[in-house]
Amino acid sequence: MIKGRLHSIETLGTLDGPGLRTVFFMQGCNMKCLYCHNRDSWSLNGGREFSLDELISTVISYREYYGEEGGVTFSGGEPLLQADFLIDVVKELKAMYIHTAIDTSGSLFNEKTRKLFGLADLIILDIKHARKNEYKSVCSYPGEMAFANLAFLQESNKKYWVRQVIVDGYTDDERQVEELKNLLQFGKTGRSDSPCNSDYPEKSVNKPERIELLPYHAMGKEKWLTCGMAYPLTGMEPPSTGRMRLLESIIQR
């Protein structure tokens, strides 16, 4: 039987999906974001091995806390790197009527990831940048796969959320946030009155239930240093409350 590799487990999490949740942070990531707060999650050989039965046993021990809205979230690292294992896990949890969410950067797009998305109750997709040609400014991975996953969700009836980390000088400009909003509302062609998409019509897409702009923080810096790596964003300050309110107002209007 396939086994998974886990970086860590958060019990009674409240930020990674609705209600109270058990969050399994999967080991392994191919994104290598500048602001990664789990630098020790990158290696596919790190963490610890976990069987399906062990994982289900952990879920059962916290099940009484989930209530009607809570459940289990698989985050990372990048959970899509362990799609085979998670397909088996999610099938088991669905049979137990436990809500499941996949929190991913969408770095892979293939038959297995589509199958996993189809099984899970909620997808939380992290879009690093609204512009493909600037995607690698915040991570080492091109944005094609993330945009392919987004298009897949937009063409489905799947419930999903979208998140983006706001970093000064990378994603904090108003135009980028406006483009993200257009991308999520109207698909790859954008809004018909957008200067860069004026030749394309609007199209109907399945929109995200929630769009979250998350302010950058440096809480992962120590993990970079522990891993013997220089922190790429040393000296970077979080965006101000006023700046975040302004960008959030663009999403909301």
Side-chain angles (χ1 to χ4, degrees):
M1 181 176 290
I2 300 172
K3 291 188 176 182
R5 296 199 73 86
L6 290 178
H7 171 270
S8 56
I9 302 173
E10 179 184 356
T11 58
L12 307 183
T14 59
L15 301 177
D16 300 296
L20 290 175
R21 313 187 70 79
T22 303
V23 184
F24 293 92
F25 293 92
M26 309 303 292
Q27 182 69 27
C29 189
N30 49 3
M31 296 298 289
K32 299 178 174 57
C33 297
L34 297 177
Y35 46 77
C36 179
H37 59 274
N38 279 330
R39 173 62 182 82
D40 53 341
S41 72
W42 289 6
S43 172
L44 287 167
N45 298 317
R48 69 184 182 96
E49 200 171 61
F50 224 69
S51 70
L52 173 61
D53 289 342
E54 287 177 297
L55 193 149
I56 296 299
S57 177
T58 301
V59 171
I60 290 174
S61 67
Y62 291 101
R63 185 175 187 174
E64 65 179 290
Y65 298 102
Y66 299 157
E68 294 183 1
E69 292 188 344
V72 176
T73 298
F74 298 98
S75 187
E78 174 52 81
L80 298 188
L81 292 175
Q82 301 191 54
D84 285 325
F85 176 66
L86 291 183
I87 286 170
D88 290 343
V89 171
V90 173
K91 283 180 179 177
E92 290 287 329
L93 295 179
K94 285 181 70 70
M96 298 166 62
Y97 299 99
I98 293 176
H99 185 278
T100 56
I102 306 295
D103 183 1
T104 173
S105 294
S107 64
L108 297 174
F109 183 69
N110 53 43
E111 182 179 349
K112 292 177 182 178
T113 60
R114 291 192 295 270
K115 183 175 182 179
L116 179 60
F117 278 16
L119 289 168
D121 296 298
L122 173 69
I123 308 302
I124 304 172
L125 182 62
D126 183 7
I127 299 291
K128 307 297 181 182
H129 204 290
R131 304 173 192 136
K132 289 183 181 180
N133 63 340
E134 295 187 41
Y135 218 83
K136 292 182 73 173
S137 67
V138 293
C139 63
S140 66
Y141 217 70
E144 280 81 4
M145 295 297 100
F147 286 103
N149 278 292
L150 175 60
F152 175 77
L153 293 170
Q154 290 177 320
E155 293 166 5
S156 72
N157 60 358
K158 177 64 59 177
K159 293 182 179 180
Y160 70 104
W161 299 357
V162 168
R163 290 175 168 174
Q164 184 178 87
V165 178
I166 299 300
V167 187
D168 184 28
Y170 293 89
T171 54
D172 69 325
D173 64 284
E174 297 166 42
R175 179 64 180 272
Q176 191 276 148
V177 174
E178 181 72 32
E179 290 176 15
L180 176 67
K181 178 182 177 181
N182 293 343
L183 177 69
L184 299 178
Q185 285 190 333
F186 302 103
K188 292 185 291 184
T189 58
R191 217 169 59 186
S192 61
D193 63 347
S194 172
C196 58
N197 295 292
S198 57
D199 295 332
Y200 297 95
E202 296 180 2
K203 69 175 185 178
S204 176
V205 299
N206 176 36
K207 298 179 178 62
E209 286 191 332
R210 182 181 299 187
I211 304 172
E212 296 180 335
L213 301 182
L214 308 177
Y216 159 80
H217 62 74
M219 289 187 286
K221 179 179 179 179
E222 292 304 317
K223 287 192 177 182
W224 284 75
L225 301 179
T226 300
C227 292
M229 303 288 291
Y231 184 62
L233 297 180
T234 295
M236 178 71 71
E237 294 293 330
S240 68
T241 300
R243 188 63 180 168
M244 289 302 301
R245 286 176 179 168
L246 172 62
L247 298 180
E248 288 164 358
S249 71
I250 295 173
I251 294 294
Q252 294 166 4
R253 68 190 180 204

